[in-house]
Amino acid sequence: MKTFIVNSKGEREAFSFHKILRSARKAGASGALAREIAIIVQKEVRSGMATFDIFKRIKQLLVKENFQSAIRFSLKEAAYSLIQPRTYLSGLKIQ
């Protein structure tokens, strides 16, 4: 059974293990670490989950294992916020 998530445009799309793997690799994670992160995220993802929340989880996992990759991944997240500021900001919990 496919798990559907909500992308930055508010559209439903099928969760992609390979997108998680590719994102972690592009951030600089080793192949083994990227695969480990993708497996963890795949187990934790729930139908209707926002890509923003998936990004946050990937970043958490990267910080624990490879801080430099987490910084690169954060740059991607920052760029995402410039492209989709309303979607990005609605996911932040500002107190």
Side-chain angles (χ1 to χ4, degrees):
M1 184 173 172
K2 282 190 177 185
T3 301
F4 287 89
I5 59 172
V6 180
N7 67 20
S8 62
K9 295 178 184 178
E11 301 167 344
R12 284 175 23 114
E13 67 176 61
F15 171 79
S16 173
F17 178 89
H18 295 288
K19 283 185 179 181
I20 303 302
L21 189 67
R22 186 173 52 234
S23 291
R25 288 288 292 144
K26 281 185 176 181
S30 68
L33 177 58
R35 184 165 179 71
E36 183 180 331
I37 288 170
I39 289 168
I40 291 169
V41 171
Q42 184 177 40
K43 289 177 183 176
E44 295 176 353
V45 75
R46 300 289 174 253
S47 188
M49 191 175 218
T51 52
F52 175 82
D53 295 321
I54 294 170
F55 278 154
K56 284 194 316 188
R57 184 62 177 137
I58 294 167
K59 185 175 157 185
Q60 288 173 345
L61 294 166
L62 282 170
V63 165
K64 287 165 78 173
E65 300 296 328
N66 187 326
F67 190 71
Q68 286 181 331
S69 293
I71 290 170
R72 282 190 212 105
F73 193 79
S74 294
L75 290 173
K76 178 181 175 183
E77 188 178 28
Y80 173 81
S81 72
L82 293 173
I83 296 167
Q84 296 290 334
R86 184 171 294 145
T87 303
Y88 177 79
L89 293 174
S90 68
L92 294 176
K93 295 189 186 319
I94 301 171
Q95 297 177 351

